[in-house]
């Protein structure tokens, strides 16, 4: 198409938000005819046919290494208010709590613009339907609080361990909160959560994830597409204590670091703590991420296989813009910064 500047280009209208400092770039792809009877089929179609759009929005120069996105697609059932594919610099997530909080506010505001007062939504995610509730603040200028109840979260394994080069035998738990995470306090890697430089925490976590992905399997009880280790969460302590702020450092995808506490990670931590008998239902706990801003998490109720976690936070608008992908632009569909300059010659 020819745009208003007289340039032959593709244009993508996006809304940029953040939740606890973690970006969410929202793109409405409901008119793209992304084929599939289920959300997981649409996820595969997006990756096979439209992945250039993910790359354009997530990667440089329009995005960056830690960009995150939410692509809206048609729901697979009328009971769902919206459906979403979560994206990052290396692919597609199965669940994302910070993006769900942002989408809760986005759907609430869109309903108001359409003359509707709607505070409850069902969002179809790759991991399953997620219930969202928006609570407007008493101050009309303030961002509303968004609470979601995710899919069933559970502990896949407790007190497992692995030999990690340079770190010895490292103990960890595996929790599922819409995605699988290895969960462990940084002290098990010989690192101080608050004093060790961030790059060392990130490096050690990356080594652990790489070793686990290479040597272990992570099977979801119902869906093969969900059966992979998404990342790892370093924590500042062994136990969750009601009322005490706890910290997450979430490494996910291919070395992205979540600025937020990570909603799916909070759900996984709650499931692991509940399986260990450390927390009771309805005990609210504050979780802080790399930005220092907190989510609140609680066990909403127990299930046969685990728990339903409830997570709440606030999201904020940053920009409404149009990305221009000129036909002759060599980086119209993005690029990733190479590990070394020799990669340009590969």
């Amino acid at each position: 198409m020819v745009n208003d500047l007289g340039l032959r280009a593709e244009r993508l209208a996006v809304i940029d938000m953040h939740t606890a400092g973690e970006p969410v770039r929202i793109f409405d792809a409901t008119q793209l005819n992304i084929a599939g009877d289920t959300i997981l089929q649409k996820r595969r179609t997006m990756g096979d046919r439209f992945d250039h759009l993910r790359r354009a929005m997530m990667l440089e120069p329009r995005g960056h290494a830690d960009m995150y996105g939410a692509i809206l697609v048609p729901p697979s059932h009328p009971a769902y208010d919206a459906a979403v594919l979560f994206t990052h610099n290396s692919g597609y997530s199965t669940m994302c709590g910070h993006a769900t909080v942002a989408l809760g506010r986005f759907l609430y505001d869109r309903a108001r613009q359409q003359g509707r007062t709607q505070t409850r939504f069902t969002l179809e995610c790759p991991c399953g339907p997620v219930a969202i509730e928006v609570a407007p603040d008493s101050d009309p200028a303030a961002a509303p609080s968004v609470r979601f109840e995710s899919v069933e979260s559970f502990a896949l394994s407790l007190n497992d361990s692995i030999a990690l080069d340079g770190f010895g035998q490292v103990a960890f738990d595996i929790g599922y909160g819409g995605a699988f995470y290895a969960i462990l306090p940084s002290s098990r890697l010989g690192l101080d959560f608050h004093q060790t430089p961030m790059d060392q925490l990130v490096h050690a976590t990356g080594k652990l994830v790489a070793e686990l992905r290479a040597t272990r399997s992570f099977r979801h009880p119902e869906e093969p597409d969900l059966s992979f280790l998404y990342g790892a969460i370093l924590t500042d302590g062994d136990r969750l204590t009601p009322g005490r702020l706890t910290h997450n450092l979430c490494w996910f995808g291919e070395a992205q670091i979540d600025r937020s506490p990570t909603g799916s990670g909070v759900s996984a931590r709650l499931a692991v703590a509940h399986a260990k008998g450390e927390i009771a239902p309805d005990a609210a706990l504050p979780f802080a991420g790399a930005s220092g801003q907190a989510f609140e998490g609680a066990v909403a109720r127990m299930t046969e296989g685990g728990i339903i976690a409830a997570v709440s936070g606030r999201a904020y608008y940053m920009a409404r813009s149009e990305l221009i992908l000129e036909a002759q632009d060599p980086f119209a569909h993005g690029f990733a910064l190479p590990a070394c300059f020799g990669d340009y010659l590969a």
Side-chain angles (χ1 to χ4, degrees):
M1 68 181 67
V2 177
N3 69 12
D4 297 338
L5 302 175
L7 303 173
R8 190 162 190 81
E10 189 169 9
R11 295 180 289 179
L12 306 177
V14 299
I15 293 175
D16 285 327
M17 302 181 71
H18 81 84
T19 309
E22 180 71 0
V24 186
R25 176 162 283 172
I26 300 172
F27 173 64
D28 188 344
T30 54
Q31 304 303 313
L32 282 184
N33 192 28
I34 299 174
D37 293 330
T38 69
I39 189 69
L40 288 173
Q41 290 173 355
K42 291 182 175 74
R43 183 170 174 259
R44 288 191 286 272
T45 299
M46 187 74 200
D48 292 341
R49 293 189 53 209
F50 299 100
D51 196 54
H52 62 287
L53 299 181
R54 176 195 65 82
R55 297 196 307 271
M57 291 185 286
M58 296 295 102
L59 301 182
E60 297 184 46
R62 296 164 190 82
H64 52 79
D66 289 301
M67 179 58 83
Y68 202 90
I71 298 175
L72 296 173
V73 297
S76 61
H77 192 278
Y80 303 138
D81 295 288
V84 63
L85 302 176
F86 300 117
T87 70
H88 49 79
N89 71 11
S90 57
Y92 300 85
S93 310
T94 55
M95 174 56 188
C96 179
H98 89 273
T100 297
V101 170
L103 286 170
R105 182 176 182 186
F106 171 82
L107 294 171
Y108 168 74
D109 289 338
R110 187 172 71 175
R112 286 198 307 162
Q113 291 166 1
Q114 295 170 350
R116 296 181 291 113
T117 302
Q118 183 177 356
T119 58
R120 295 176 183 267
F121 304 89
T122 301
L123 180 66
E124 185 182 19
C125 303
C127 63
V130 172
I132 299 173
E133 183 173 4
V134 181
D137 197 278
S138 56
D139 179 356
S145 175
V146 179
R147 177 183 185 272
F148 69 86
E149 291 189 1
S150 191
V151 294
E152 183 179 62
S153 299
F154 56 88
L156 181 70
S157 64
L158 299 176
N159 303 314
D160 201 347
S161 68
I162 194 168
L164 189 63
D165 184 37
F167 296 92
Q169 199 72 18
V170 177
F172 59 90
D173 304 308
I174 299 293
Y176 179 84
F180 284 110
Y181 295 94
I183 301 171
L184 68 161
S186 63
S187 58
R188 294 185 189 170
L189 292 165
L191 306 174
D192 184 291
F193 189 91
H194 296 289
Q195 299 300 321
T196 300
M198 180 72 76
D199 61 344
Q200 293 183 31
L201 294 174
V202 171
H203 173 72
T205 309
K207 285 195 68 171
L208 175 64
V209 171
E211 186 67 20
L212 289 172
R213 286 176 175 172
T215 61
R216 303 292 178 89
S217 61
F218 303 87
R219 294 186 179 180
H220 189 273
E222 298 177 359
E223 181 51 65
D225 277 9
L226 305 178
S227 299
F228 63 95
L229 184 67
Y230 184 46
I233 294 174
L234 291 190
T235 73
D236 61 348
D238 287 293
R239 296 177 62 90
L240 292 177
T241 303
R244 183 182 74 83
L245 179 67
T246 185
H247 291 80
N248 286 349
L249 177 67
C250 177
W251 187 112
F252 69 93
E254 296 298 331
Q256 282 191 236
I257 300 301
D258 198 333
R259 274 61 172 166
S260 84
T262 310
S264 55
V266 167
S267 299
R269 279 194 73 186
L270 289 168
V272 165
H274 185 266
K276 291 182 173 183
E278 295 176 0
I279 57 171
D282 297 324
L285 297 101
F287 296 78
S291 72
Q293 293 298 300
F295 288 169
E296 185 175 86
V299 177
R301 58 187 181 276
M302 292 173 286
T303 63
E304 183 177 347
I307 64 165
I308 297 296
V311 179
S312 60
R314 296 176 191 265
Y316 300 87
Y317 292 99
M318 297 190 295
R320 183 187 301 271
S321 59
E322 182 179 80
L323 306 182
I324 298 174
L325 283 57
E326 289 192 69
Q328 301 304 316
D329 182 354
F331 298 133
H333 298 145
F335 78 98
L337 197 66
C340 61
F341 282 103
D343 290 349
Y344 286 127
L345 305 176

